[in-house]
Amino acid sequence: MIVLGVESSCDETGLALYDTQRGLLAHALYSQVAMHEQYGGVVPELASRDHIRRAIPLLQQVLVESGIDRHDIDAIAYTQGPGLAGALLVGASVACGLGLALDKPMLGVHHLEGHLLSPLLASDPPEFPFVSLLVSGGHTQLMRVDGVGQYTLLGETLDDAAGEAFDKSAKLLGLGYPGGPAISRLAEFGDPSAYQLPRPMLHSKNLDFSFSGLKTAVLTLVKNHPANICEQDKANIARCFVDALVDVLVAKCLSALKHTGLKRLVIAGGVGANQQLRSALNAAAVKRRFRVYYPELEFCTDNGAMIAFAGAMRLQIKPEAAQRDYAFNV
Ligand code: KG4
Ligand code: ZN
């Protein structure tokens, strides 16, 4: 079965073809980051308009790269949500139009399920069951995953998501958008002992998170500096912020593994690309004897491959999930 995946929930247009026999055939991505950068964040209407411009050229690209004729596509999976409403409507409309034109069924996929299953696209994928840490711009969740569609929420953020904390703190430091990679790079030059930042909910008895206090701590540090804050001070704040956030994420993962008795930890979502987080988790895995799995770097942030894959997995266990009435919800 060959499934076309269409992702358009935020500022990335992603299309991909996944074959349940041969694996990922092709994927193509257009990032709108350069367009939104000048506004310091995603402008929803511009995002929707750009998805319209990119979707069909990207489809043509994956068809050429895979050598697949469009009539050989068996089903079309699109991101149903959560995401920006206008942006989601573009992906759903593209999927609906293609489905109708090619006489193929379509299927809405939950964006977070796409992220959650993305590590299974790697060459050495984890077996079920596992604990998953989903850390994206909009969500931070710990989940027990027993199989496709078998998810138990263990804990989640009570306020900001980890990626949101990265982006907002980076903005406070004047690092632009998206802030995650920028603050992470700057942190490499910072002094970890320069400031003592809070580790919110580190010792709480549950597996929930809270990151808004950490962001406020960064705001207070920035305010306490003169307007022309020097590069080294910025790097020190960045370093202390990243260390605090990573400490909390790692500690909660360890608690989740202990709570479930599982020995496999899977990381998903944009913040999963963070090198400081990866180093800390790798060190903990050696010490505590568990295995940690990551998606390929290009599949940490939003992409069409994870939607094609999640759609294919869904259809394998529940073929009737594919629908031909060409009505959609976002
Ligand atoms: O999963 P994703 O592409 O979108 C959502 O579904 O939200 O995640 C985007 C988030 C942004 O907040 C971005 O700053 C963060 O992932 N991110 C990173 C890194 N790369 C992306 N955060 C920290 N370090 C990175 N290397
Ligand atoms: Zn995402």
Side-chain angles (χ1 to χ4, degrees):
M1 175 174 50
I2 296 176
V3 177
L4 172 71
V6 183
E7 156 64 31
S8 71
S9 65
C10 189
D11 58 348
E12 255 114 21
T13 322
L15 275 92
L17 286 163
Y18 183 83
D19 184 345
T20 48
Q21 307 265 305
R22 291 181 289 162
L24 189 63
L25 302 178
H27 70 98
L29 188 80
Y30 183 84
S31 170
Q32 305 174 354
V33 160
M35 182 176 72
H36 298 295
E37 210 171 9
Q38 56 185 306
Y39 304 101
V42 179
V43 182
E45 184 177 338
L46 293 183
S48 311
R49 289 175 184 273
D50 207 58
H51 286 307
I52 294 172
R53 268 194 293 275
R54 309 294 169 189
I56 299 305
L58 290 175
L59 168 66
Q60 284 159 338
Q61 191 179 325
V62 292
L63 287 172
V64 169
E65 268 175 32
S66 62
I68 293 286
D69 185 277
R70 64 183 189 276
H71 296 283
D72 292 334
I73 295 171
D74 295 299
I76 301 147
Y78 65 95
T79 302
Q80 192 166 22
L84 301 170
L88 289 167
L89 282 168
V90 176
S93 305
V94 166
C96 185
L98 283 172
L100 202 55
L102 300 173
D103 191 23
K104 303 291 176 178
M106 57 193 267
L107 164 82
V109 168
H110 196 287
H111 183 73
L112 296 186
E113 184 173 33
H115 276 303
L116 193 69
L117 298 179
S118 64
L120 301 182
L121 280 164
S123 52
D124 180 21
E127 283 173 24
F128 299 113
F130 52 77
V131 167
S132 169
L133 171 71
L134 201 143
V135 267
S136 69
H139 296 83
T140 300
Q141 296 184 332
L142 272 164
M143 212 101 69
R144 181 192 163 106
V145 180
D146 286 285
V148 174
Q150 298 174 49
Y151 314 127
T152 311
L153 184 65
L154 302 172
E156 62 184 332
T157 182
L158 304 178
D159 41 56
D160 290 353
E164 198 178 350
F166 265 104
D167 292 340
K168 287 179 175 170
S169 300
K171 202 169 183 177
L172 290 170
L173 291 170
L175 297 178
Y177 168 86
I183 202 168
S184 168
R185 275 193 302 274
L186 187 62
E188 290 296 322
F189 304 101
D191 172 3
S193 62
Y195 307 103
Q196 193 56 40
L197 290 193
R199 268 87 175 136
M201 297 186 74
L202 185 65
H203 300 296
S204 71
K205 295 247 178 304
N206 56 28
L207 295 170
D208 289 334
F209 306 84
S210 164
F211 294 115
S212 68
L214 187 52
K215 173 197 65 193
T216 309
V218 171
L219 174 66
T220 308
L221 283 179
V222 172
K223 274 190 175 164
N224 288 343
H225 278 81
N228 56 345
I229 177 171
C230 75
E231 282 309 303
Q232 188 56 52
D233 280 344
K234 278 192 191 178
N236 291 347
I237 296 174
R239 175 64 187 264
C240 296
F241 162 80
V242 173
D243 284 359
L245 193 136
V246 166
D247 275 359
V248 176
L249 290 178
V250 173
K252 294 284 175 174
C253 286
L254 296 180
S255 301
L257 290 168
K258 194 171 169 201
H259 171 78
T260 55
L262 297 176
K263 289 279 177 200
R264 282 183 288 268
L265 174 68
V266 171
I267 311 300
V271 182
N274 184 267
Q275 288 308 328
Q276 288 99 341
L277 176 63
R278 287 185 175 217
S279 304
L281 285 171
N282 291 343
V286 172
K287 201 167 156 203
R288 304 290 186 98
R289 294 167 190 262
F290 63 88
R291 248 195 98 176
V292 56
Y293 298 80
Y294 307 95
E296 303 285 347
L297 270 181
E298 60 184 338
F299 299 143
C300 282
T301 43
D302 293 345
N303 63 86
M306 68 183 195
I307 302 303
F309 180 71
M313 295 300 105
R314 279 264 162 204
L315 290 175
Q316 270 188 330
I317 55 170
K318 200 177 168 200
E320 65 275 18
Q323 47 126 335
R324 283 176 180 272
D325 62 3
Y326 306 110
F328 55 83
N329 293 312
V330 294

